[in-house]
Structure formats: C-alpha cells, structure tokens
Amino acid sequence: MAHYFVPFAEAKQQPTILVDSTGLQAALVLAHWRGAATPVALRDDTSSGSVLRALRALHTPGMEAQAVSANHFDVDGFVGVWSLLNPALALRHEPLLRLVATLGDFRELDWADPLADDALKLVCWLNAKEKDLFYPPFGAPALRRSEAEASAEKFAWFLPAFGEILKNPELGRAAWEPEYARVRRAIEVMQSPATRLVRYPELGLVVVHTPEPLPYYALFGPTSGLDIVLSCYNGQRYELEYKYTTWIDLESRPTLPRLPLNDLASRLSSLEKPPSTWVFDAITDTGPLLRLGGKKLSKAQRYADPDQRPIEQSSIPAEVLEKEVVTFFRKGYAGITPRRYWTWAEMKAVGGLV
C-alpha cells in the first residue's frame, strides 16, 4: 500500500503518519521531538532513523495509514517523509540517508566514514535548492501563512526530485558545489594544527579553539557525543551553544539537561569592559546561544553558520572565559546524573525556572 504526502492542514482529515512533528492525533508518530509519541521500538536519534526502523519492522500499528505529513521542512523531516514514499530505494540507501539526517539536524559527522562525502553533497544540495527556489530555514518572507502551510510547497518540489540526486549526487553538482567547497575547506582547518579541542566529557562540553568562525558542518564534526560547544576564535571572539542533541529525545546515549544561562551571562558581563554585555537564548530554543552583543540575533541568524553572522570581540582572555564556563557547568551539574528522555518540565526544574 503506497504512501503519499499531504499538507499538515489536511493531515487531521484522515489517518496520517506524522514525521518529525507533533501536535496532531496521528495514526503513527515517527519523531524524535521531546515527548513525541513515537513507539519505543522505533525510537532513534533522528526522525528519519525512526522511519527507517518502521520500514524494516515486520508490523507496526499505524503504518497502514497512507497519508504522510510534517509541520515543517528540514533535512531530517524531508528524508523521513521521502523514505516513507520510496521505501525500497530508502532501504537500499539506508546508511547514507542516516548520515544525511544526522548531518542535517546535528551538524555532526565522522568525516572518515566513506559515505560522509556523499552525505555532505546531498545536504548541500537540499540547502542550496531550498534557498534558491524558496527561502532559507526561518527566513520566510512576511506572509500570512504558517511554516506548516508554506513548507508544503517545498515538499511538493523536493519529493519527486530527490531520488535521482540520491542515486547520483553528481547530477546536483551545480547546486551543491559552492557550499560543499566552503565546508570542505573548513574541515581541513578543523583537522589542522591550527585547531585545538579541549573536552570535558563529564559536562558534555567541548571547547574548540580555531582561528576563524566556520560552517557548522565542519565545526561540529568532531564534537559528536558532546552537547555544549564553546567556540573560541582569534581576537577573543566567542560563542557558547547548546547543540540540538539536547532539544530532542536522543536515543543513543544519556544526556545532561540544559541549564539556563542567566547566571553565566551575568558573570561574564561583570568581567567584560563596559558597556559590552553577554546575551543568551532560552533553553527551549533549538540551539540556544550565549554571546557578546547588544541585542539577540534573529532565529534565522542563529540557525545560520557562525561564519555568516557578526561575532564581537571580548575583553576576556580565552583561558579566563573557559575557566568561567567550566566552573559554571561543574556547579550546575553537581549531583545530576545524565539520562534519556528529560521532559521540559524536568529541565526547567533543574534550572530553577519553575
């Protein structure tokens, strides 16, 4: 029985498999979002991974529903929807599709994997065509439509086009090559003596010392298994970020909860030469940033690569900043054990927000 895509607004009118989304009484949910009703046996780090598990399962209640939907368009969600509509081809390319979903959502990949290069090409193709034909993530024009409504047009274009690019990424070279080349150059920097990583695994923290801001696909590559990244660039420019791995229900390993960054921002602001102050995003943001600046970035700017946004120079030396960050998380995580499936209420309680 073949599946077909329906816009999110139409999903409630029929039994529907919901991918990478919540907010709907669906026949089956295949999503890694925190608290999503994904069957235990199908849970995976990515929503696409849950879809691929469902395709391999002998019988999964709800898979008989023919309609498939999602409330937004991104790499992981798209790959999951496409896989349901093209099960034979998806299972044939399962390892590559898993890498594509991981790179798209977590921005991390082991570049020694023989399929990693093709995964990068496919993600860059998706990114480039999305920007060229529609709009970049969180960059929708001021339309009187929700993302759920607007994203249906993206699915309508990408669903029939992706299969040929998956089978032969070279067909999409004209689109993927500019971003691909930029990321490959940045990967070389990350793998060079110019870059130094300091890991604090007990905190889920990694400190990356590298000369200039880089694309996420390169920057986060060697941070796999860790959830907080402090990026330190030349000229005392810094950003601290909670990775997306702690916004979703990660299946493969336990994690620590996100801590609110109010106190750390206040402490760093007190060390900064006036009038500079540190600003931060709420822990419920997909990738909260702590950074120096007079005002917060837009969601589109936060989602964009670090080398595509301004990063101000701090008066705090890198070694002092690293010490303050480590001290903050050591104190905040004292007595807390990593585990799976934190609820937002539990995270807020740990951080004293409720």
Side-chain angles (χ1 to χ4, degrees):
M1 188 177 296
H3 295 105
Y4 57 87
F5 177 79
V6 297
F8 190 71
E10 300 174 18
K12 60 184 177 182
Q13 300 171 10
Q14 59 211 299
T16 301
I17 300 173
L18 192 60
V19 177
D20 201 34
S21 314
T22 58
L24 179 72
Q25 284 293 109
L28 175 64
V29 175
L30 298 171
H32 62 172
W33 287 26
R34 193 170 300 284
T38 304
V40 173
L42 303 181
R43 289 176 176 173
D44 203 284
D45 283 358
T46 64
S47 297
S48 296
S50 290
V51 168
L52 291 163
R53 285 177 184 251
L55 291 176
R56 289 203 176 275
L58 293 178
H59 176 69
T60 298
M63 278 290 281
E64 68 277 2
Q66 292 179 271
V68 179
S69 192
N71 66 3
H72 68 289
F73 181 96
D74 67 7
V75 172
D76 181 31
F78 168 75
V79 168
V81 170
W82 182 90
S83 296
L84 283 169
L85 273 58
N86 301 272
L89 190 56
L91 291 177
R92 197 179 312 149
H93 293 275
E94 180 175 358
L96 177 56
L97 290 175
R98 285 182 170 276
L99 292 183
V100 169
T102 298
L103 182 58
D105 253 15
F106 304 150
R107 280 95 169 255
E108 59 185 40
L109 213 56
D110 177 5
W111 295 109
D113 190 306
L115 293 176
D117 199 60
D118 277 349
L120 177 60
K121 292 173 182 176
L122 290 170
V123 172
C124 289
W125 180 81
L126 287 165
N127 291 344
K129 300 303 288 186
E130 182 183 14
K131 293 174 185 176
D132 180 49
L133 298 174
F134 303 98
Y135 53 86
F138 306 105
L143 301 175
R144 294 181 180 178
R145 294 191 299 169
S146 66
E147 169 62 20
E149 293 175 295
S151 65
E153 297 175 0
K154 295 182 180 181
F155 280 103
W157 190 90
F158 278 102
L159 284 171
F162 181 68
E164 292 305 311
I165 304 299
L166 172 65
K167 289 185 287 186
N168 182 9
E170 287 302 309
L171 294 175
R173 175 177 286 275
W176 57 249
E177 191 164 40
E179 183 180 14
Y180 170 87
R182 183 171 67 96
V183 174
R184 290 303 313 187
R185 289 192 297 269
I187 291 170
E188 292 179 4
V189 173
M190 286 295 294
Q191 296 174 343
S192 76
T195 297
R196 177 172 60 92
L197 275 67
V198 183
R199 295 177 174 87
Y200 299 87
E202 73 281 6
L203 304 176
L205 169 69
V206 56
V207 183
V208 180
H209 297 269
T210 196
E212 297 295 331
L214 299 171
Y216 275 123
Y217 296 152
L219 180 66
F220 280 7
T223 72
S224 181
L226 300 167
D227 304 301
I228 310 167
V229 180
L230 173 60
S231 303
C232 300
Y233 307 114
N234 288 354
Q236 297 184 180
R237 294 168 294 159
Y238 313 115
E239 285 188 326
L240 178 79
E241 181 165 357
Y242 283 121
K243 289 167 59 179
Y244 189 60
T245 48
T246 49
W247 190 86
I248 51 92
D249 278 334
L250 199 67
E251 168 62 23
S252 62
R253 60 179 173 84
T255 62
L256 288 162
R258 290 178 171 182
L259 300 177
L261 299 172
N262 314 51
D263 291 345
L264 180 56
S266 296
R267 171 61 179 166
L268 296 180
S269 293
S270 73
L271 299 175
E272 201 71 56
K273 289 183 179 179
S276 298
T277 58
W278 287 73
V279 296
F280 59 93
D281 303 306
I283 61 169
T284 51
D285 189 84
T286 51
L289 283 169
L290 173 72
R291 64 199 307 277
L292 190 65
K295 62 179 182 178
K296 297 181 183 179
L297 301 174
S298 69
K299 181 66 176 178
Q301 287 175 308
R302 299 199 303 277
Y303 189 85
D305 287 322
D307 62 344
Q308 296 176 344
R309 58 179 176 245
I311 301 178
E312 296 185 18
Q313 182 175 9
S314 170
S315 62
I316 304 173
E319 61 272 16
V320 174
L321 182 78
E322 181 173 336
K323 181 179 179 181
E324 291 291 337
V325 168
V326 170
T327 298
F328 169 80
F329 284 110
R330 279 187 175 151
K331 180 180 178 181
Y333 287 141
I336 299 175
T337 302
R339 64 175 176 81
R340 293 174 176 83
Y341 309 123
W342 292 92
T343 67
W344 286 117
E346 289 169 335
M347 280 201 185
K348 291 177 181 179
V350 167
L353 298 178
V354 293

